[in-house]
Amino acid sequence: MAKLLRASSDGSAARRPPRALIAGAAGFIGSHLVDRLLIEGYEVIGMDDLITGRPCNLAHLQGHPRFSFVEHDIARPFTVDGPLDWVMHLASPASPPKYQQWPVQTLEANSFGTHHLLDLTRAKEATFLLASTSEVYGDPLHHPQQEEDWGNVNPNGPRSMYDEGKRYAEAATMTYHRHYGLPVRIVRIFNTYGPRMDLHDGRIVTNFIRQALSGEPLTIFGDGSQTRSLQYVSDLLDGIVRYMACDDCGPMNLGNPVERSVSSIAQMILHLTGSASPIVYRDLPQNDPRRRRPDISRARALLGWQPRIDAEEGLALTIAAAREAMMLPPEPFEA
Ligand code: NAD
C-alpha cells in the first residue's frame, strides 16, 4: 500500500489513510478501481462528468465514510482540497461507438483533461496514473505487441480522436515525468470486460451477451476469424495496484495474452447463456484491427503479474451481472 504516513506541517508524522483521486470513477473500470482502493484502505475521491459513466455503478457506495463523488468534466479547470497520493486518469469515452458519438469530448478529456490532472499531481506531490490503451499500437506491425512498439496509427483516421488522443496523453505524461521529475505510470490496457459494462456500449462482449440474453441474433463483423484477447477486470486491477507500488514508470501492457477468434467467443457466450440465438455476419468496419495480443513479459518480470481468470469463468460472472442488469432470472441451478 502506498505512503501510509505523511509528514505534517509541524514535522511530526500524522497518520491518515492514503488518498486517491479517480477520474472516470463512474465508468466500468473506474468504479471497480474505486471498490478495490477502498478495500485496500484508501480514501477515494471519484470525479466524473457522467458522459459515458453511470451513477448506478457507484450506488452501492452511498454513505461510505471514505468515498466522495464530484460531478465534473476534467477538461475544465478544478481544484481538490487536501492531500493526494495517487491521481488516476481513467476519464475518457472508451468504446468505438461512444468515442465516435463524443469525438470532441474524447479529444478534450485526453488533452486538456490530462494536463489538468498532471498539474494537480504536481501540486499535490502525488503519483500519476494514465489509463492508456492497446489502440496506441494501431494496426500493429508486430505480433504480439510489446511496449517498445511505436504503433502504426493513422493520425487523422476515423479513430484518431481516441488513439491519437491517448498517444498525446502518453506524450504529456512522459514530458511531465522527464521535465518535472513527476512520478508517473502508464498502463496500456487491452480489451477488458466484466460486470458493470454498459450493455449498449457496442463492444464485442457486451453485444454478444445482450443479444444472446434477449434472444436476438449475434452479430459478427467480418468472417469471425479475426482475434481478440479478453482480460477480466479483476486481473487488470491486480496489475494496476502492483504497478502503482513499484518504481518503474515506462508504459506497461496489461491484458490477457490468450488469443481467441471472434467466432469462438460468440460460441462460448451462446453456450454459457444457453441461448438459441443464431449468428449473423456483417461487413467489417474500416480500420478494425485484425489481431491484437499483448506481450506481457514486462508485467510478468517487473510486477510478478499475469491474468488468473480464464474466459469461461470471467464470462460466466459477466453474464450473471448482465442478467441482473436486464432483470432476467438467474441461470437455473444444475446439480
Ligand atoms: P467507461 O466509458 O465505462 O468509463 C470512462 C469514464 O470516464 C465514464 O464514467 C465517463 O463518464 C468518464 N469521463 C469521460 N470523459 C470525462 C471527462 N471529460 N471528465 C470526467 N469524466 C469523464 O470506459 P472504461 O471501459 O471503464 O474505460 C476506462 C479507461 O480505460 C478509459 O480511459 C479507456 O480509454 C481505458 N481503456 C479501457 C479499455 C477497456 O477494454 N475497457 C481498454 C483500453 C483502455
Side-chain angles (χ1 to χ4, degrees):
M1 195 180 294
K3 299 185 217 160
L4 267 168
L5 294 175
R6 169 177 283 251
S8 67
S9 52
D10 66 359
S12 63
R15 191 174 285 275
R16 63 162 178 81
R19 232 169 155 239
L21 173 77
I22 300 182
F28 156 53
I29 297 173
S31 64
H32 285 286
L33 186 59
V34 171
D35 288 346
R36 175 66 189 257
L37 293 196
L38 289 173
I39 289 168
E40 304 251 342
Y42 276 68
E43 182 180 336
V44 179
I45 303 160
M47 184 175 280
D48 203 299
D49 67 354
L50 304 177
I51 191 170
T52 57
R54 296 174 303 157
C56 62
N57 288 340
L58 298 171
H60 60 290
L61 297 175
Q62 201 154 18
H64 192 294
R66 282 183 284 109
F67 178 68
S68 55
F69 180 76
V70 184
E71 186 175 338
H72 184 75
D73 172 359
I74 56 155
R76 314 283 158 243
F78 59 92
T79 54
V80 172
D81 289 338
L84 286 172
D85 300 290
W86 292 356
V87 174
M88 309 179 95
H89 182 3
L90 289 90
S92 167
S95 74
K98 297 285 177 176
Y99 58 69
Q100 298 295 345
Q101 184 184 356
W102 306 107
V104 175
Q105 289 85 346
T106 301
L107 283 175
E108 290 186 351
N110 286 295
S111 53
F112 302 132
T114 301
H115 279 281
H116 290 146
L117 291 168
L118 283 165
D119 287 335
L120 179 71
T121 311
R122 269 190 85 202
K124 302 288 183 184
E125 299 178 18
T127 299
F128 179 76
L129 171 84
L130 173 68
S132 184
T133 170
S134 57
E135 294 218 19
V136 298
Y137 297 116
D139 194 8
L141 300 174
H142 308 288
H143 203 73
Q145 288 76 61
Q146 297 180 327
E147 288 86 350
E148 290 73 28
D149 294 347
W150 290 356
N152 178 32
V153 179
N154 179 350
N156 52 37
R159 302 165 85 106
S160 56
M161 77 293 278
Y162 186 68
D163 50 29
E164 287 293 357
K166 289 287 183 185
R167 287 163 70 92
Y168 177 79
E170 285 203 14
T173 302
M174 287 311 289
T175 301
Y176 273 61
H177 171 65
R178 293 193 187 103
H179 190 68
Y180 296 122
L182 196 73
V184 299
R185 311 281 185 272
I186 297 173
V187 277
R188 292 191 179 146
I189 302 172
F190 284 65
N191 216 326
T192 301
Y193 71 99
R196 295 190 200 151
M197 288 180 91
D198 176 356
L199 294 174
H200 294 273
D201 70 1
R203 288 188 252 208
I204 168 176
V205 169
T206 42
N207 276 355
F208 287 166
I209 290 179
R210 183 177 43 75
Q211 290 166 334
L213 288 179
S214 47
E216 291 167 21
L218 272 62
T219 319
I220 291 186
F221 294 97
D223 64 3
S225 63
Q226 71 272 32
T227 63
R228 293 291 180 268
S229 307
L230 302 178
Q231 164 174 243
Y232 189 66
V233 64
S234 63
D235 283 329
L236 171 66
L237 300 181
D238 282 345
I240 289 178
V241 168
R242 284 173 191 235
Y243 184 29
M244 294 305 291
C246 89
D247 279 338
D248 190 86
C249 68
M252 183 82 69
N253 286 343
L254 291 178
N256 192 319
V258 177
E259 204 175 345
R260 294 173 193 280
S261 72
V262 167
S263 292
S264 71
I265 295 168
Q267 291 297 347
M268 195 182 289
I269 289 175
L270 284 175
H271 169 69
L272 288 169
T273 52
S275 167
S277 291
I279 294 179
V280 295
Y281 294 87
R282 299 270 180 271
D283 290 344
L284 202 61
Q286 194 194 353
N287 284 17
D288 198 57
R290 277 203 59 79
R291 295 180 78 188
R292 213 176 258 154
R293 177 160 68 94
D295 180 327
I296 57 165
S297 315
R298 204 158 176 272
R300 273 190 222 271
L302 279 170
L303 312 179
W305 174 87
Q306 62 180 19
R308 288 182 305 175
I309 309 289
D310 66 24
E312 191 131 336
E313 183 182 356
L315 286 173
L317 292 165
T318 310
I319 289 166
R323 277 185 187 281
E324 224 171 284
M326 292 168 74
M327 292 191 279
L328 296 170
E331 186 72 357
F333 179 74
E334 281 176 32

